[in-house]
Amino acid sequence: MILASSVLPGATVFFCAARSPTPCLLPCLGKLVLSPRHSASAPRYHEHFKPAFGSFVRTFSSCPRSATQFYTQFPGVFSAKMSTRTPYQDAALAIVKGAACIALSLKTGRTTRNVKFSKDNKCSITLGPVDNQPTASEEELLKTLTQQKIEENCPFRVFTIPREVATRMYQESYLDEFGIPANVKEVRLVVLPEWNINANIYPTLKSTGQIAEIRFETVKFVAEKRQLCLTLQVVPADNGDAPAVAVEEKVAPEDLPTLSQVLPPSGVEGDDLGNDGQDDQTVTPWDVQANEGGIDYDKLLKKFGCSAITPQLISRIEALTGKRAHHLLRRGIFFSHRDLNLLLDAIEKRQANLASEKREDGAGADAFSGPAFYLYTGRGPSSEALHIGHLVPFMFTKYLQDVFDVPLVIQLTDDEKFLFKENLTLEETHRLAFENAKDIIACGFDPDKTFIFSDLSYIQHLYPVILEIQKKVTYNQVRGLFGFVESDNIGKSAFPAVQAAPSFPTAFPMIFGGKKDVRCLIPQAIDQDPYFRMTRDVAPRLGLLKPALIHSRFIPALQGFKTKMSGSVETSSIYVSDTPEQIKNKINKYAFSGGQATESEQREKGANLEIDVPYQYLTFILPDDDLLKEIGEKYAKGEMLTGEVKAVLIKELQALVGGHQERRAKVTDDMVRQFMDPFRPCFQRYAK
Ligand code: TRP
């Protein structure tokens, strides 16, 4: 028997077979629906109606399960609303789906089999294929992640784009198992950043904090069907009557979030988090190459999926610290971040709490309540002396330690340099770690708040955390992130977990007393980002906080912007061990000038500051804004010559390097051992 009824323009027709498994569709949709799979003569109907249905018949026949499913998938067709469906439910389903993908290592795309909505903000989601009954700890993690996402008050993004664009950008990730009919040419995407993406026409909340709680009423695994059904009770944070809903954005195609920005860190998809290999610039932890114009940092931001540091963010830092921002921040040398805003939110909240405690009992602020966060940075000990490019992150880290008054851990990766540098022995990299520690100490870190460690020496404490990380990262992932090949030694593949481990406070039990909830901020040059993409990816799956990151640009080689200063190319760098004479000679002889070839030409046309190495070095090391501005203006207009700018730079560098050498000379072996002792009593206050 066939019953047919034409629906809306566009000639979509729905049928119903007598033994339809979804009789509920009839009253609900007021349409007649055929499920050819359940009809004896299905193939015939299918053939007959194929021209009109296209892939719709196929999709539909493969998995019609409930009214709701139809209803949400064919927005152009059914316009009636199910009265019980609320933005709270849609928001909750996105939160829970993302949490489930992480906790159970599920893909996002095509793993939602069914969703149901009932009254009083109850709803359910059926996921599949799921092969095993979730373990107690997986279920626990699912619930914790759900609650964390609510507390994060994360905003939803909604935009409508052509289907082909959605498929190109997001592959199948935005689809439910049953897909979308072929005739749908535009999709409305609902995105919870780095958590979930789904095509959905229904309104969702503005942000996750509008939900007070999502209760898991049942978690039911059905082995035969390889599926997991979660029944949820959503509790609105307000009275739930007229919630604010996410407003649809107009997004230019080039501003669409990337695949990795919409997917959750489930570890099963989005493996290639960076290098597409067909770029005109290379930025990896072991190679930095650009064309004449230097690194295109905007492009890098997009490719890596980091966020730009905005003037507003800098103002927030200034407000929080009560100090003017460091010149490396003001001048955009630290230019990129991940989740710095979330870190600042947490610090603000903490300050507000401390202040109110103080008001209430007069003594609240005296009670020590642990550090606001901790800093983590590092150095690969591959050469005797550091060059000034190496100093940049350390100078900046010192500023952060000073203004936020927080503990700092510094990793010296003697293991890494042994594995990655053909000619270095382990004894040598370990010795260099100790030598480099002196240069680091000379930067002026607070001895009572700073722990410096060599991986080789500290490994037994890191190892439990390293193992947890290694178990969650696949070879495919490290290959995608770091470009390892089959002939690379296996130590390289294992190493990223070692650099990741100090991002978690559990790697320093003697300092943080086993606490899991101390946030971490990692200042670094942008080439280190792949390590911490990986780290941030595994963090939620270990029930740990993702570290926040802040990235710097590279200081260019003396020869110009095509590459960065390199520790192994003597003439590309100014070392902290160079004599005043060496500094002068190197700058005069090698520093690439953006000035004109002759004096008269320079007077007439001025210099190109963008590519002028001496001027750019001054932006890194000259703290005086007014002086820098004056030099820049005069030099660009031709009122200053390259030689004069070089002379300023030489003086500044000599002072910087001279000061460093003086401080370093005072660093004794004993002091190094002090800094390297994690059991010092001064750390015990952080464990409280
Ligand atoms: N891999 C880095 C290097 O070769 C050293 C490093 C270890 C590091 N941990 C870090 C750098 C954290 C920045 C932040 O130099």
Side-chain angles (χ1 to χ4, degrees), residues 311-338:
Q312 291 87 319
L313 211 54
I314 297 177
S315 306
R316 278 183 77 189
I317 294 174
E318 293 185 329
L320 268 172
T321 60
K323 302 236 166 58
R324 181 130 194 254
H326 194 278
H327 70 263
L328 290 170
L329 199 52
R330 301 200 302 269
R331 295 179 193 161
I333 290 166
F334 276 83
F335 72 110
S336 152
H337 76 99
R338 292 182 191 270

Side-chain angles (χ1 to χ4, degrees), residues 324 330-331 609 614-615 618-619 621-636 640 644-645 647-649 651-652:
R324 181 130 194 254
R330 301 200 302 269
R331 295 179 193 161
L609 300 184
Y615 175 77
L618 284 173
T619 65
I621 66 162
L622 182 67
D624 184 337
D625 283 339
D626 296 334
L627 184 56
L628 182 71
K629 186 159 170 249
E630 189 189 321
I631 293 172
E633 283 171 3
K634 287 189 174 163
Y635 191 28
M640 262 181 110
E644 293 169 299
V645 178
V648 178
L649 175 65
K651 213 174 100 242
E652 286 298 323

Side-chain angles (χ1 to χ4, degrees), residues 155-425:
F156 281 92
R157 298 187 60 178
V158 180
F159 45 85
T160 299
I161 56 174
R163 178 183 189 151
E164 41 160 326
V165 176
T167 303
R168 186 164 12 95
M169 292 286 300
Y170 309 118
Q171 295 147 27
E172 292 202 320
S173 65
Y174 66 94
L175 299 174
D176 290 340
E177 188 188 56
F178 34 85
I180 292 180
N183 63 337
V184 174
K185 296 286 184 262
E186 277 201 327
V187 286
R188 180 180 183 273
L189 297 178
V190 175
V191 171
L192 198 47
E194 289 183 33
W195 202 259
N196 186 240
I197 180 168
N198 191 234
N200 184 345
I201 55 155
Y202 286 89
T204 187
L205 298 177
K206 233 180 154 64
S207 66
T208 58
Q210 291 166 263
I211 293 175
E213 192 193 345
I214 299 173
R215 272 184 225 132
F216 288 76
E217 308 237 288
T218 58
V219 176
K220 191 170 145 221
F221 175 67
V222 185
E224 318 77 81
K225 294 190 181 162
R226 298 170 71 201
Q227 71 187 28
L228 182 72
C229 180
L230 308 170
T231 327
L232 313 169
Q233 168 71 65
V234 189
V235 185
D238 42 37
N239 70 12
D241 280 351
V245 297
V247 183
E248 214 169 295
E249 304 169 43
K250 284 263 164 292
V251 197
E254 64 274 17
D255 293 329
L256 286 169
T258 61
L259 182 62
S260 60
Q261 286 171 324
V262 300
L263 291 180
S266 61
V268 293
E269 52 197 343
D271 282 341
D272 182 14
L273 295 156
N275 288 318
D276 51 18
Q278 44 185 331
D279 215 336
D280 54 352
Q281 59 184 14
T282 310
V283 176
T284 69
W286 15 93
D287 191 18
V288 176
Q289 295 290 336
N291 52 27
E292 297 299 332
I295 309 271
D296 183 337
Y297 286 102
D298 288 336
K299 199 161 145 193
L300 205 57
L301 269 188
K302 276 222 172 110
K303 184 169 149 190
F304 281 7
C306 304
S307 311
I309 293 183
T310 57
Q312 291 87 319
L313 211 54
I314 297 177
S315 306
R316 278 183 77 189
I317 294 174
E318 293 185 329
L320 268 172
T321 60
K323 302 236 166 58
R324 181 130 194 254
H326 194 278
H327 70 263
L328 290 170
L329 199 52
R330 301 200 302 269
R331 295 179 193 161
I333 290 166
F334 276 83
F335 72 110
S336 152
H337 76 99
R338 292 182 191 270
D339 283 357
L340 184 58
N341 48 333
L342 293 184
L343 180 77
L344 298 181
D345 289 347
I347 302 172
E348 279 166 7
K349 216 165 142 185
R350 184 174 174 279
Q351 283 193 352
N353 286 345
L354 285 177
S356 73
E357 269 176 40
K358 194 174 173 184
R359 248 178 281 122
E360 277 161 26
D361 61 13
D366 295 342
F368 196 81
S369 55
F373 65 97
Y374 74 100
L375 289 159
Y376 159 41
T377 191
R379 144 110 189 130
S382 57
S383 64
E384 197 80 37
L386 281 70
H387 58 61
I388 57 165
H390 294 133
L391 283 189
V392 167
F394 288 112
M395 294 189 306
F396 187 67
T397 303
K398 165 160 168 54
Y399 148 78
L400 291 173
Q401 180 177 54
D402 287 348
V403 296
F404 285 105
D405 188 29
V406 286
L408 160 67
V409 297
I410 300 176
Q411 178 179 48
L412 299 169
T413 53
D414 37 14
D415 52 349
E416 174 192 19
K417 294 301 155 182
F418 169 66
L419 289 167
F420 284 81
K421 298 265 170 175
E422 224 29 75
N423 329 325
L424 286 178
T425 63

